[in-house]
Amino acid sequence: MTEHYQVAIVGSGPCGMSAGGRAAEQKVSHIVFERTDHLSDTIFKYQKGKHVMATPDVLPLRSSMPFDAGTRETILGKWDDQTGSLGVNVRYNAEVTAIAGEKGNFTVTLKNGETVTADNVVLGIGLQGNLRQLACPGGDWGGVQYQLDDPDEYEGENIVVIGAGDAAIENAVALAKQNNVYIVNRRDEFARAKDGNRNLIEAAIKNNDITPYYNADPKSVTSGKLTLTVADGEAEVDCDRIIARLGAIAPRKFVESCGIEFPSKDPASLPELSPQYESNVPGLYIVGALAGFPLIKQAMNQGYEVIEFILGNQIKPADEPLLEEKFQALPGDRPVDEVIAHIRENVPLLRALTTLQLREFLLDATIHVPSKGDVVFERNDYTNSFFMIVEGSADILIDEKDPNVIVNVGVGDFFGEIGLIAGRRRSATVLAAEASFMLESPRRSMIKLINSVEAVERTMNEVALVRQLRTYLSPQLTDDAIRPVLETAEVRGFKSGHVLFKEGDADEGVYLLRKGSVTVSRRIGGKDIVIAYVPAGHYVGEMAFLTRARRNATVRAAINTETIWMESDKFRQMIDASPELRGEVERRLLTRFIESESMHTRPEAGNIIQFLVEQGVGEATDILLIDETLCVACDNCEKACAETHGGVSRLNREAGPTFASIHVPTSCRHCEHPHCMADCPPDAIHRAVDGEVYIDESCIGCGNCERNCPYGVIQLSSGAPKKPGLFSWMMFGIGPGPGENKGWNKAHKKEDGAPKVAVKCDMCLNIAGGSACVRACPTGAAIRVSPEDFFSLSELSARR
Amino acid sequence: MHTSILVFRNFRYLKIALALIVVAVLAYVIHDPLGRPNGGTWLGYSLGGLCAAIIVWLAWFGVRKRRYGVGKLLLEDWASGHVYLGLSLLIIATLHSGFQFGINVHTLAYALMVLVIGSGAFGLYAYMRYPRLRSINRGEGALGDVWALVAGMSRDCYEIARDLPDEVYRLVEDADKETRIGGGVWRQLSGRDPNCASTRALEEVRGMAERYSGKDADAARRLVRVLARKVELLTRIRKDIQYKALLDIWLYFHIPLTVALLGALAIHIFTVFLYW
Ligand SMILES: Cc1cc2nc3c(=O)[nH]c(=O)nc-3n(C[C@H](O)[C@H](O)[C@H](O)COP(=O)(O)OP(=O)(O)OC[C@H]3O[C@@H](n4cnc5c(N)ncnc54)[C@H](O)[C@@H]3O)c2cc1C
Ligand code: HEM
Ligand code: HEM
Ligand code: SF4
Ligand code: SF4
């Protein structure tokens, strides 16, 4: 007979383990399946001695398991102890491969073929996924490993690293210091890796530190020998060890195979859950990171709660006090449930959310209760949050020149979506038209929402379209003028490098850029020469129909770009209906003629634009550029950065590429859509009013942002060692002088376990007068530019 | 966009300096002292005071440069002003002295000032000239980890030389072990190394390669090419070091001389008040 349990818990991460603990305490018959031979693999894999943080601080812990900020080792140790003393029934080395059946009778199948039945299943497998295994014969040889904890452990070995991603490269380079390393790449270059890593591996190969096999696939493994299929046959490599870094398979497929539905194909979308964490399959519960709660404490709370829910106890979620506190800003003492119901009632955009999603959404949101005339945000602010009106109304001042052009929006309406979509400055000022109740939601919540609830994206796009046309073309456009365009207009997205249209194509419409930017290039003397750069908020493609000719240039997305495509005829109708716009379009056309003629004669300026676009200027809101013909390499910029930022410079002057004497140092670009924000568990990365992308103190040092930033500008740092005061330096020469931090930091390195957090350029957010680096450059070599200055960069090159 | 300290803010500080000079010269011409013009007249005191104020401000630049994240002005404002006002001293201080020089502490102060200005002028010249040359010498990429690059080439050389006669191998070994980059001040400033082991190896291997035949000739040719690349890289690195040295060296005169100047000036002022 197969074993039967009341609850089967899959995964022993914080949530699964906590659920197991609660089940044991409540004497519920249970089993926890764990794929590996230890608890909580994700945390087990943190780097040795990592300081684990217990954010959010305000959230109380509700679990049968202890958890406090501390080192990885102490935390794991305590969990092991508690699991033992509560008698949690954990089965290790038990990977679950299938879950079938229904409430009361689920069958859980393990990799080794065993099955177990259960009334309920709790899925807490996190988001790390399964490491892809070496599939060839002999892949189970003991010398094959999928992870590298400490590269210094090995010495004098022959080691093969398989894979071409960042992890493979980092491992190979680190191992090459003491070992003879080979790297096996399926393709002929390391295109998938970050620039920094690509440079590292290419240099290592060039120096013969690492021997590469390109276009190679593992064919078989025998003890101590790897056979590869290569372009001209086979190659054999003697090896003591194989490290396969083949990436992970996201758990989504497995989850779907259990019958759980996702609202959209987007990999970021989350399954819909009831307030009791129950999925669309009754009896199948999802908790932890997989349910969209990326922090340990949240996961542990949910593990506890889910057992209570299964037992039928309607306890209040642990975040209730947080919401209570949040709603205190509201007049009257309204209970949480009532406020939530009220919000759902009044804001149609949020109606499609489940209660769980809505609670989570509100936890991240800020409540505003402005009085009449209060400014909500101002034109040209760089903030990218999103506002919804629950009560009251707001006036949007859409015309910069005429403060009397006002659009009034009321209960249930939203605003701020243009900045959110474009990642650029606010395009209007918004005032409260009366005493109101508004919700402000950070960028991350909105992106999660858009990806998870289809209705939200649709509603937002519909409203945004009209507003974007008014904002970017002319605030005077009447509804009548816009209507025909709307009939066929659509949002078209283009990935970085993709072509909107080619020189010589027939005219098929106008593209208004609502996000991203494009380069315009023309074939001159057999070469594609960039003649212009067009940022979001402008349109391209009007020239062809205005001049009744074919496309006279190729337009390519400089970064991921979204456009509003409009049919040419309808666009013409719209222009004809609005003399304002007509004049504007005509004026723009003539400017473009002039610009492109002058660029014709200066292809080198185009090359500079091309170079800068490659360096991320196209998505930058502010970038540090150094003119090498002025830079005397005094490093005063770096010193200034270190002195004003706790002794650690966030900029590396010397590193980074150079073209035509313009040097792009390794320093934050303050991207419109910061990649670093993508995956930050505590949502610690924000954008300030003037565009500064900064990290607040809630950072847990997970390093995701460091990996996600394509420009390699984030470092994990345990802070600079304290240096003796200025006085002791002047009088006794103790410690480094002002600015001399580099050597001191190196000589007084903190011990390895010191808590590390991510640090990056914050554009001197809190320093009056702005960027210390630029202000400390004695020769004027260092400047900061924003996209608005970008056009004049071609001017810059004209000087040369 | 980028502007150098000379044209900064549309020559604002040049204009200020010129205005000061014009006023000083006019005053000097109009002023009709009893006897020879010198530092002891009311104009002399005024001009002396002005000079002293400027000098103290110029010296304060060394402090300001290290006070980060403060002040309304860019450091470039300070640098631009520093250069023009510093140069203007040549005229204003000379007018102050009434062209009376002798063997005394006053003239010592004056001489030191001229030396500081002279070294500063060289610095300015260096700042205007060498960064551009350095950029051109570096080419597109940063030179990066030069040691790693050189070491990589040395390894390539060993690899090829393994199968070649001992005389070649020994040269390659020398080229690896005896090649120096950087070194003392003179070596750095000269930008070359007349005894570069790699250059010597290149020359000699080249001579030997002509004598070899068959497989050895092939290998030797390959070696010559790698060595040539290495020598080229070394040349570029040495040039780079030379430019950086030229950008730095003058400050080793400018700053100590400034300290000496401040001392002499203090004594000068002290003595004139003492003998008042
Ligand atoms: C480098 C890093 C640092 C971090 N630092 C912090 C921090 O300081 N503070 C913080 O609060 N959060 C931190 N986080 C986030 C935190 O690790 C996660 O939020 C948390 O681990 C999620 O818990 P979970 O239980 O949902 O999933 P996980 O912890 O991922 O646990 C899932 C478990 O399920 C097992 N499993 C998976 N599939 C199967 C299967 N098919 N069958 C059986 N078992 C399976 C896995 O082996 C694993 O043990 C960090 C994350 C990273 C990557
Ligand atoms: C507060 C500032 C100064 C005061 C009050 C001052 C005062 C004087 C006086 C009174 C004299 C006449 C001395 C004499 O005739 O014996 C003099 C001469 C002179 N001063 Fe100054 N001075 C000042 C700053 C300077 C500076 C900055 C310099 C240049 C670095 C300078 C260089 C000279 C020279 C070269 C002479 C001529 C010496 C001579 O007569 O032999 N002085 N100064
Ligand atoms: C009496 C006059 C002068 C004094 C006392 C003086 C003093 C100083 C001091 C103290 C510094 C700071 C150096 C450091 O800390 O790094 C400095 C830097 C400098 N000075 Fe002068 N200086 C004088 C005149 C001049 C003149 C006339 C010029 C140019 C024509 C000049 C050019 C420079 C330059 C280019 C720097 C370096 C700027 C930098 O890299 O930060 N100086 N000077
Ligand atoms: S850290 Fe990187 S991704 Fe984030 S804003 Fe800066 S450059 Fe962009
Ligand atoms: S700021 Fe970076 S390191 Fe810190 S928690 Fe966010 S993603 Fe992780």
Side-chain angles (χ1 to χ4, degrees):
Chain A
M1 222 195 85
T2 52
E3 306 156 57
H4 183 86
Y5 298 93
Q6 209 171 337
V7 191
I9 299 160
V10 187
S12 71
C15 63
M17 170 204 65
S18 172
R22 187 59 185 162
E25 229 173 27
Q26 294 280 39
K27 310 261 179 310
V28 177
S29 79
H30 69 278
I31 182 162
V32 180
F33 294 109
E34 170 52 49
R35 179 178 59 196
T36 60
D37 63 1
H38 44 255
L39 287 178
S40 205
D41 191 43
T42 303
I43 290 151
F44 188 86
K45 278 196 195 136
Y46 290 175
Q47 109 208 49
K48 250 192 273 168
K50 177 184 180 320
H51 181 84
V52 181
M53 307 191 197
T55 25
D57 293 336
V58 280
L59 182 70
L61 176 72
R62 183 199 270 171
S63 173
S64 316
M65 296 283 167
F67 177 54
D68 248 327
T71 63
R72 157 187 172 278
E73 286 73 13
T74 12
I75 291 173
L76 289 174
K78 282 190 190 159
W79 287 349
D80 280 336
D81 293 347
Q82 182 75 349
T83 315
S85 58
L86 286 177
V88 182
N89 179 21
V90 188
R91 185 173 304 171
Y92 293 104
N93 301 313
E95 179 173 346
V96 173
T97 52
I99 301 169
E102 61 201 11
K103 195 176 173 93
N105 187 22
F106 282 106
T107 307
V108 178
T109 312
L110 304 185
K111 198 174 181 186
N112 64 9
E114 281 176 40
T115 57
V116 164
T117 57
D119 294 341
N120 299 287
V121 177
V122 175
L123 208 50
I125 57 175
L127 284 175
Q128 302 300 314
N130 273 337
L131 290 178
R132 215 168 250 134
Q133 311 273 318
L134 202 54
C136 65
D140 52 359
W141 172 50
V144 181
Q145 63 192 61
Y146 296 95
Q147 206 198 339
L148 178 66
D149 291 321
D150 180 9
D152 297 335
E153 235 174 76
Y154 310 107
E155 211 181 319
E157 293 192 4
N158 287 319
I159 302 182
V160 183
V161 177
I162 306 181
D166 288 310
I169 295 175
E170 279 159 22
N171 287 175
V173 171
L175 285 167
K177 272 191 226 132
Q178 305 191 26
N179 302 280
N180 184 16
V181 175
Y182 303 85
I183 189 160
V184 176
N185 183 351
R186 217 176 221 204
R187 307 185 190 198
D188 53 4
E189 54 180 333
F190 291 87
R192 253 192 320 127
K194 272 201 294 212
D195 280 356
N197 279 331
R198 200 163 60 219
N199 295 343
L200 272 182
I201 187 79
E202 277 165 7
I205 290 173
K206 206 161 140 236
N207 296 336
N208 294 329
D209 289 340
I210 294 177
T211 316
Y213 285 96
Y214 293 108
N215 297 315
D217 260 321
K219 179 160 181 269
S220 65
V221 182
T222 51
S223 173
K225 183 173 280 171
L226 169 70
T227 311
L228 296 168
T229 329
V230 288
D232 46 2
E234 271 177 20
E236 281 186 355
V237 196
D238 290 325
C239 53
D240 303 310
R241 193 176 298 285
I242 296 177
I243 295 181
R245 300 307 303 252
L246 309 171
I249 309 170
R252 169 112 175 215
K253 255 228 174 80
F254 169 65
V255 177
E256 281 176 332
S257 77
C258 303
I260 292 163
E261 286 161 10
F262 285 80
S264 83
K265 276 222 182 62
D266 192 293
S269 72
L270 302 165
E272 261 177 39
L273 301 177
S274 78
Q276 284 76 40
Y277 311 120
E278 197 166 6
S279 70
N280 60 302
V281 180
L284 184 50
Y285 296 79
I286 300 183
V287 282
L290 186 63
F293 297 84
L295 291 169
I296 296 172
K297 214 196 281 177
Q298 296 169 326
M300 293 181 69
N301 287 353
Q302 295 184 343
Y304 177 100
E305 288 159 13
V306 77
I307 295 297
E308 294 295 323
F309 291 141
I310 288 173
L311 290 175
N313 302 335
Q314 287 311 325
I315 54 165
K316 288 224 180 285
D319 55 27
E320 185 87 0
L322 298 185
L323 283 177
E324 251 163 39
E325 198 185 306
K326 200 154 259 195
F327 294 157
Q328 238 152 45
L330 295 173
D333 218 358
R334 298 194 246 178
V336 170
D337 285 342
E338 196 186 302
V339 180
I340 293 183
H342 184 57
I343 291 173
R344 186 195 291 282
E345 171 76 30
N346 281 12
V347 186
L349 198 65
L350 299 179
R351 238 169 254 163
L353 272 66
T354 64
T355 306
L356 190 65
Q357 281 170 331
L358 188 53
R359 286 186 82 100
E360 162 80 353
F361 183 81
L362 290 175
L363 274 176
D364 288 339
T366 314
I367 307 274
H368 292 278
V369 279
S371 321
K372 182 177 163 64
D374 284 358
V375 176
V376 182
F377 59 69
E378 299 210 50
R379 182 189 306 281
N380 292 338
D381 278 2
Y382 245 124
T383 46
N384 52 14
S385 54
F386 181 86
F387 289 81
M388 284 148 281
I389 305 177
V390 188
E391 286 165 14
S393 62
D395 285 336
I396 308 183
L397 279 50
I398 55 172
D399 196 340
E400 200 167 2
K401 291 164 219 134
D402 184 357
N404 295 319
V405 185
I406 288 174
V407 174
N408 184 271
V409 289
V411 171
D413 277 332
F414 55 84
F415 52 89
E417 79 290 349
I418 296 191
L420 177 72
I421 292 172
R424 300 233 164 184
R425 296 175 186 279
R426 296 286 195 198
S427 54
T429 296
V430 180
L431 310 171
E434 57 188 293
S436 308
F437 165 14
M438 298 178 188
L439 283 177
E440 177 184 6
S441 196
R443 186 185 121 93
R444 181 175 79 158
S445 312
M446 284 316 293
I447 288 179
K448 219 153 108 185
L449 198 62
I450 291 171
N451 288 329
S452 304
V453 187
E454 208 193 339
V456 172
E457 186 177 18
R458 215 174 335 105
T459 320
M460 214 161 106
N461 268 342
E462 272 164 22
V463 176
L465 215 60
V466 179
R467 294 192 186 162
Q468 281 157 340
L469 290 180
R470 281 225 175 87
T471 305
Y472 295 142
L473 297 176
S474 159
Q476 315 279 358
L477 277 176
T478 58
D479 287 346
D480 284 342
I482 293 184
R483 196 166 307 119
V485 170
L486 284 184
E487 282 164 15
T488 52
E490 56 187 64
V491 175
R492 292 189 183 171
F494 297 88
K495 287 236 152 26
S496 166
H498 286 204
V499 169
L500 280 68
F501 52 79
K502 274 226 256 326
E503 193 173 342
D505 283 357
D507 159 39
E508 48 75 61
V510 178
Y511 296 81
L512 176 62
L513 309 180
R514 67 171 206 171
K515 169 185 171 182
S517 56
V518 297
T519 56
V520 181
S521 59
R522 203 178 281 171
R523 279 194 94 68
I524 301 173
K527 273 198 355 208
D528 260 338
I529 303 287
V530 174
I531 55 168
Y533 162 85
V534 184
H538 298 264
Y539 49 83
V540 289
E542 84 294 0
M543 227 184 233
F545 89 81
L546 287 174
T547 57
R548 296 191 178 68
R550 296 195 155 255
R551 299 287 193 200
N552 73 351
T554 300
V555 173
R556 200 175 259 114
I559 47 171
N560 289 349
T561 296
E562 274 174 25
T563 64
I564 300 173
W565 174 83
M566 294 168 280
E567 218 173 298
S568 300
D569 283 341
K570 308 255 164 151
F571 189 68
R572 186 196 301 278
Q573 277 175 34
M574 181 164 68
I575 301 181
D576 289 344
S578 162
E580 283 258 331
L581 181 57
R582 173 152 212 111
E584 178 59 36
V585 168
E586 203 57 49
R587 215 165 24 247
R588 180 78 51 82
L589 180 70
L590 295 177
T591 318
R592 284 196 178 161
F593 279 149
I594 296 168
E595 256 174 19
S596 84
E597 283 315 308
S598 81
M599 289 298 278
H600 246 194
T601 53
R602 292 190 283 119
E604 60 310 330
N607 292 339
I608 293 182
I609 296 186
Q610 180 69 41
F611 163 74
L612 290 171
V613 163
E614 277 161 21
Q615 296 315 315
V617 179
E619 59 178 326
T621 61
D622 186 290
I623 186 169
L624 181 64
L625 298 180
I626 293 180
D627 184 342
E628 275 201 346
T629 64
L630 293 177
C631 173
V632 297
C634 65
D635 273 340
N636 216 36
C637 46
E638 270 190 34
K639 291 172 189 167
C641 184
E643 282 290 333
T644 49
H645 293 84
V648 183
S649 173
R650 285 93 206 276
L651 108 97
N652 186 338
R653 176 190 60 79
E654 187 131 36
T658 308
F659 182 80
S661 292
I662 298 181
H663 178 64
V664 186
T666 301
S667 167
C668 180
R669 278 88 162 131
H670 302 276
C671 305
E672 290 170 343
H673 297 277
H675 310 275
C676 52
M677 275 187 195
D679 202 6
C680 171
D683 200 13
I685 309 181
H686 312 276
R687 149 158 272 157
V689 177
D690 291 319
E692 306 93 338
V693 174
Y694 66 97
I695 303 179
D696 70 21
E697 42 320 311
S698 69
C699 168
I700 55 175
C702 67
N704 286 353
C705 54
E706 184 198 24
R707 277 187 295 278
N708 284 335
C709 168
Y711 308 108
V713 307
I714 300 185
Q715 332 155 35
L716 289 175
S717 157
S718 45
K722 198 166 154 30
K723 72 178 190 186
L726 196 60
F727 183 74
S728 42
W729 170 69
M730 278 192 313
M731 300 309 291
F732 313 110
I734 299 175
E740 314 294 328
N741 292 311
K742 256 190 186 165
W744 175 261
N745 290 357
K746 211 177 249 166
H748 296 80
K749 234 174 84 182
K750 296 200 180 163
E751 79 285 8
D752 279 349
K756 283 188 174 174
V757 292
V759 297
K760 68 180 282 296
C761 161
D762 58 2
M763 238 156 53
C764 297
L765 190 60
N766 300 315
I767 299 172
S771 302
C773 51
V774 169
R775 288 200 286 153
C777 175
T779 63
I783 57 162
R784 293 189 157 274
V785 290
S786 54
E788 288 96 80
D789 312 324
F790 192 67
F791 291 103
S792 55
L793 284 182
S794 52
E795 299 300 314
L796 167 83
S797 60
R799 282 194 308 138
R800 285 160 203 283
Chain B
M1 305 263 60
H2 295 104
T3 45
S4 86
I5 50 177
L6 290 185
V7 300
F8 191 60
R9 295 210 198 281
N10 213 0
F11 300 100
R12 175 193 290 177
Y13 297 96
L14 172 60
K15 289 173 190 160
I16 293 176
L18 283 177
L20 282 179
I21 292 173
V22 168
V23 170
V25 171
L26 279 182
Y28 188 83
V29 172
I30 294 166
H31 180 57
D32 187 13
L34 306 164
R36 288 188 61 185
N38 72 19
T41 66
W42 68 263
L43 180 68
Y45 275 99
S46 310
L47 289 178
L50 177 65
C51 290
I54 292 178
I55 288 176
V56 169
W57 184 79
L58 292 170
W60 184 251
F61 180 60
V63 176
R64 173 58 178 71
K65 190 179 165 185
R66 292 173 180 75
R67 295 182 46 179
Y68 302 106
V70 299
K72 281 216 174 64
L73 293 176
L74 301 176
L75 197 67
E76 193 177 7
D77 280 293
W78 281 75
S80 186
H82 184 93
V83 164
Y84 286 122
L85 290 178
L87 286 172
S88 75
L89 281 177
L90 279 178
I91 295 167
I92 303 175
T94 310
L95 294 180
H96 158 73
S97 74
F99 301 92
Q100 302 203 34
F101 300 106
I103 311 247
N104 51 31
V105 68
H106 323 313
T107 309
L108 173 66
Y110 183 88
L112 284 170
M113 183 192 79
V114 173
L115 288 177
V116 174
I117 294 175
S119 59
F122 173 79
L124 180 66
Y125 168 78
Y127 277 25
M128 291 300 120
R129 181 176 161 80
Y130 297 125
R132 183 180 298 272
L133 294 178
R134 191 160 180 246
S135 176
I136 293 170
N137 179 55
R138 286 186 161 217
E140 227 71 296
L143 282 176
D145 187 351
V146 289
W147 294 110
L149 278 175
V150 172
M153 290 185 176
S154 292
R155 236 184 342 247
D156 290 350
C157 292
Y158 276 125
E159 193 94 342
I160 301 171
R162 241 195 340 236
D163 306 327
L164 282 167
D166 276 354
E167 47 172 3
V168 179
Y169 195 84
R170 229 171 293 123
L171 281 171
V172 166
E173 205 167 35
D174 272 357
D176 177 36
K177 299 221 167 84
E178 307 296 326
T179 300
R180 303 265 175 275
I181 303 179
V185 180
W186 289 119
R187 184 53 42 81
Q188 290 193 25
L189 281 173
S190 77
R192 57 178 76 86
D193 180 356
N195 298 320
C196 172
S198 295
T199 314
R200 202 170 50 234
L202 174 61
E203 291 310 319
E204 295 195 15
V205 172
R206 185 178 169 174
M208 294 169 184
E210 286 167 15
R211 285 185 275 116
Y212 293 150
S213 59
K215 237 175 64 194
D216 278 2
D218 282 349
R221 268 186 229 131
R222 260 191 300 143
L223 186 57
V224 166
R225 289 170 70 171
V226 178
L227 278 172
R229 245 191 301 136
K230 183 174 169 194
V231 168
E232 199 274 339
L233 176 68
L234 287 171
T235 314
R236 277 207 295 149
I237 294 172
R238 292 196 177 111
K239 269 255 166 267
D240 194 64
I241 293 174
Q242 178 190 25
Y243 291 136
K244 178 71 178 130
L246 284 165
L247 283 170
D248 289 345
I249 183 79
W250 63 276
L251 273 172
Y252 290 94
F253 297 91
H254 201 64
I255 298 174
L257 284 170
T258 296
V259 175
L261 165 60
L262 290 177
L265 192 58
I267 298 174
H268 166 59
I269 295 170
F270 181 70
T271 48
V272 294
F273 281 112
L274 202 66
Y275 292 112
W276 214 10

